[in-house]
Amino acid sequence: MNSHGGWILEVDIQKFFDTLDHAHLRRLIRHRVRDGVLTRLIGKWLKAGVLEQGAVTYPYTGSPQGGVISPVLSNIFLHYVLDEWIEQVVKPRLRGKAFLIRYADDFVMGFTHEEDARRVLAVLPQRLGKYGLAIHPEKTRIIPFQQPVQAAGEKDAGLGPPAGTFTFLGFTHYWGRSPRGRWVVKRKTASSRLSRALQNIALWCRANRHRPVKEQQHLLSQKLRGHFAYYGITGNSRSLAWFRFGVIRCWRKWLNRRNRERCLDWNIFNRLLERYPLPPARVVHSVYHRAASP
């Protein structure tokens, strides 16, 4: 891809952690790890039982999600299955430029030419299938991600045909205007992640509405700071502010529910917020701060 965009191949591996093949994984681990004690320890991790609804099962495939070893094993596995294959086999055969961005089992690829994206999509199922993996047919797609074209007469309005968007690691990537009016790639919290986060806050407020207000304020502040620590990036201020407002609405709603005889209207609740404030929306990861660093 170049500064004007290109084509994005968005890939979803079906049930990666559940279908990780142990035999292939052990063979790939031996490329780097020769210590027998360590390889046996990894084997014990993989064979450890899983407790679900009071029953223990011993899977022959997969790596337990949430296990401390699973992210490391997934990176080792896909480094050989995907990363090296893309660099050594795929890229030399493409017409244009391409890149791969991967985090554990989540990855996207970018291409200058649509033809290259379609060629890779055609051979990717065979490559993954060789190692016991499969791509999700409905969640895997090619997305046009070009910079919007300025049509005649639209110079002042800044309009143009809609550009594609894609979601990766909880962020929706889209084309937008920079403060200087240039087209740049921007990121915002994915709507599904934002809705899910607010649903979790609502459930928490409901379950904890009878706790002391000061204690609720302290715990909600921690949840907000955690959200801002991940999603607080340059250009995402609107989503951060919307999340904070959603938290405030949930908190007021469930504080009202614990005392039906007294209505906690917005005037009273705003005075309560002055006494028990929640942290403001904050951009934690700023490109401007990084640019100013020596």
Side-chain angles (χ1 to χ4, degrees), residues 12-30:
D12 182 87
I13 301 179
Q14 254 183 335
K15 298 181 178 179
F16 172 76
F17 286 101
D18 295 332
T19 59
L20 192 63
D21 187 271
H22 291 181
H24 286 306
L25 178 60
R26 290 191 184 94
R27 180 171 58 83
L28 295 175
I29 287 175
R30 284 197 291 269

Side-chain angles (χ1 to χ4, degrees), residues 169-235:
L169 299 180
F171 290 96
T172 296
H173 296 67
Y174 65 101
W175 286 97
R177 292 288 193 181
S178 72
R180 297 184 178 181
R182 293 180 296 183
W183 286 110
V184 295
V185 177
K186 293 188 173 184
R187 295 174 293 167
K188 62 181 179 180
T189 309
S191 58
S192 59
R193 294 291 186 93
L194 188 59
S195 299
R196 188 191 313 167
L198 288 175
Q199 288 172 5
N200 290 335
I201 289 291
L203 291 174
W204 186 92
C205 289
R206 178 183 180 181
N208 294 273
R209 64 186 183 276
H210 294 298
R211 287 190 178 194
V213 174
K214 184 175 179 60
E215 187 177 337
Q216 292 187 48
Q217 178 247 0
H218 175 70
L219 295 172
L220 283 173
S221 295
Q222 289 183 329
K223 294 178 182 296
L224 279 166
R225 291 190 187 99
H227 185 90
F228 300 153
Y230 184 81
Y231 292 103
I233 62 173
T234 300

Side-chain angles (χ1 to χ4, degrees), residues 208-275:
N208 294 273
R209 64 186 183 276
H210 294 298
R211 287 190 178 194
V213 174
K214 184 175 179 60
E215 187 177 337
Q216 292 187 48
Q217 178 247 0
H218 175 70
L219 295 172
L220 283 173
S221 295
Q222 289 183 329
K223 294 178 182 296
L224 279 166
R225 291 190 187 99
H227 185 90
F228 300 153
Y230 184 81
Y231 292 103
I233 62 173
T234 300
N236 196 31
S237 299
R238 182 177 296 179
S239 295
L240 300 179
W242 179 251
F243 177 73
R244 183 180 183 274
F245 179 65
V247 171
I248 290 174
R249 289 179 61 187
C250 288
W251 195 20
R252 174 181 172 269
K253 172 184 175 180
W254 289 106
L255 285 178
N256 255 326
R257 295 291 178 89
R258 76 176 188 174
N259 187 359
R260 295 182 180 274
E261 295 180 359
R262 181 186 179 190
C263 178
L264 194 65
D265 62 25
W266 277 106
N267 290 327
I268 298 174
F269 184 71
N270 285 333
R271 289 198 295 271
L272 182 142
L273 277 179
E274 292 177 0
R275 184 177 179 184

